[in-house]
């Protein structure tokens, strides 16, 4: 089970199509582009759009989660929908 964190702050529980694990094309559809992985250092990861800052709205919820886990620098931020 994973959570899709939308830019509007809403969250949606999601599951991989095959029932086991997410495939690359699946993750790319959720984040609307090429992916980048952010390690939260607690066993969880954030899958974000690699070029999100160029074209997508800010995701304050995902940014707060990343800051809480010291996964990104204090001035950095995340844009676009995120899979956690």
């Amino acid at each position: 089970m994973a959570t899709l964190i939308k830019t509007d702050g809403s969250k949606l529980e999601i599951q991989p199509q095959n029932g086991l694990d997410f495939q690359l094309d699946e993750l790319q559809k959720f984040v609307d582009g090429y992916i980048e992985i952010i390690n939260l250092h607690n066993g969880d990861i954030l899958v974000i759009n690699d070029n999100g800052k160029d074209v997508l709205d800010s995701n304050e919820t995902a940014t707060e989660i990343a800051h809480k886990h010291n996964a990104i620098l204090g001035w950095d931020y995340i844009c676009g929908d995120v899979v956690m």
Side-chain angles (χ1 to χ4, degrees), residues 24-74:
L24 177 59
D25 63 332
E26 225 176 330
L27 291 171
Q28 289 174 327
K29 287 178 186 172
F30 282 122
V31 302
D32 195 27
Y34 294 114
I35 67 168
E36 180 179 343
I37 305 296
I38 297 177
N39 185 349
L40 296 180
H41 310 292
N42 67 351
D44 292 333
I45 61 169
L46 298 178
V47 180
I48 68 170
N49 183 307
D50 185 44
N51 298 312
K53 290 179 187 162
D54 296 336
V55 294
L56 302 172
D57 292 335
S58 175
N59 188 323
E60 293 180 23
T61 303
T63 298
E64 288 175 16
I65 291 169
H67 283 155
K68 176 182 171 187
H69 294 283
N70 295 313
I72 61 175
L73 296 174

